[in-house]
Amino acid sequence: MHHGLSTSTPAATVPVPASVGLADFQDLGHATDTFAADVVAGLAEPRKAIPAKYFYDAIGSRLFDRICALREYYPTRTEMKLLETHRGEMAKLIGDDAALVEFGGGSLAKVRVLLDAMPRLKSFVAIDISRDHLLDAATTLAEDYPRLQVAGVCADFTRPVALPAVARRRRRVGFFPGSTIGNFEPEAAADFLRTVAGDLGRGGGLLIGVDLVKDTEVLERAYNDADGITAAFNLNLLTRINRELCGSFEPRYFRHHACWNADESRIEMHLVSRRRQRVHVAGRVFLFDEGETIHTENSYKYTVDGFHALAEDAGFRPVRTWTDARQLFSVHYLEVA
Ligand code: AVI
């Protein structure tokens, strides 16, 4: 399973083998390394913060896969069930003539549910910033669906993407599962949807998974699992900084904290300093008071109406929404207005 917010490996390190069964593979060269600059800038802020996309190094990605399988973490399971239950109806809305375009597809696990329901679909494009991971996942998908034209585009999908030939003369339908939209600030979420509407063009559609506002206890449990996997995921950021940016963090002097912020409609994740301390990162020194935090993630939750308003503001028309019986999660089919 994938988060869709992976940070990159540098562009063009591995040539695409001529033998892979992909219809197309393009590297738009968006992958630039801003980890050091972002961390130093974030730690220098009066309220320390580091962008959530930096969770996903190899260890963080593996921990995220484990989060997705946790009993407490309902989004993955619930969304998968919604896709399985309603894939017939979703397939009809997408249409066999469309090119399906997944934004930040990662391991491309969820889209298989749709592809299995659409044996006549002609083309699929996966866009992801993580080049080698994308190449692997798209190649495996092409092997498993030999009748489908599969293309990969290594790009930052928050920027406009010129889609490859297999998607050009077709209606285009985007796929953005996992409630990754929730990790964008609402402004950035609207900007992203506007960009996607531009990529998809007139007549296009978007199938998107969005986590819902719900009982605080259910929400907080999902981000404070009993096995401490989410805590390890959060704290791994410090280990990554130590390894990649010559950091001197002592992870045991920090603790994971996740809580629901009702005013902002989001789960916040923080790393709380257990003591007054001084930490070196990339040749700079940062001071922490006891109890001071690094804000590491926001995960916004929407009501169905709230999400529709956001989508409409960004140039989409909501066509169909599916939710589970407990109203935990939603999947929306939107059309470019
Ligand atoms: C990837 N993203 C949608 C996850 C979320 O729920 O916001 C990331 C995550 N953070 C902690 N647990 C899962």
Side-chain angles (χ1 to χ4, degrees), residues 316-330:
F316 282 98
R317 181 177 40 250
V319 172
R320 179 81 172 93
T321 296
W322 300 270
T323 57
D324 57 294
R326 292 177 61 200
Q327 302 296 304
L328 294 175
F329 200 89
S330 61

Side-chain angles (χ1 to χ4, degrees), residues 2-5 52 55-56 64 67-68 70 73-75 177-183 211 222-223 225 230 233-234 256 258 267 269 297-301:
H2 198 254
H3 41 84
L5 291 170
F55 281 137
Y56 302 96
F64 180 67
I67 288 174
C68 289
L70 288 170
Y73 194 73
Y74 60 83
S179 200
T180 303
I181 190 86
N183 294 128
D211 198 9
Y223 293 82
D225 61 280
T230 310
F233 173 73
N234 200 2
H256 165 72
I267 284 281
M269 294 217 308
E297 186 177 63
N298 285 327
S299 190
Y300 284 86
K301 311 300 173 187

Side-chain angles (χ1 to χ4, degrees), residues 1 28 43 53 65 87 153 171 187 206 225 239 256 274 287 332:
M1 224 47 72
L28 302 189
L43 293 179
K53 65 180 180 180
D65 285 345
R87 61 183 161 188
V153 181
R171 227 182 96 250
E187 276 280 291
L206 177 65
D225 61 280
T239 315
H256 165 72
R274 293 182 187 271
L287 295 175
H332 305 256

Side-chain angles (χ1 to χ4, degrees), residues 237-256:
L237 189 56
L238 303 182
T239 315
R240 178 177 186 189
I241 293 171
N242 285 350
R243 192 177 56 245
E244 295 183 28
L245 305 180
C246 292
S248 68
F249 279 108
E250 277 286 357
R252 68 202 152 107
Y253 294 157
F254 287 83
R255 66 178 171 82
H256 165 72

Side-chain angles (χ1 to χ4, degrees), residues 9-21:
T9 44
T13 43
V14 186
V16 180
S19 59
V20 301

Side-chain angles (χ1 to χ4, degrees), residues 8-16 25 27 29 31 129-133 135 154:
S8 58
T9 44
T13 43
V14 186
V16 180
F25 189 86
D27 188 338
I129 193 73
S130 174
R131 187 179 190 276
D132 297 347
H133 197 50
L135 193 52
C154 176

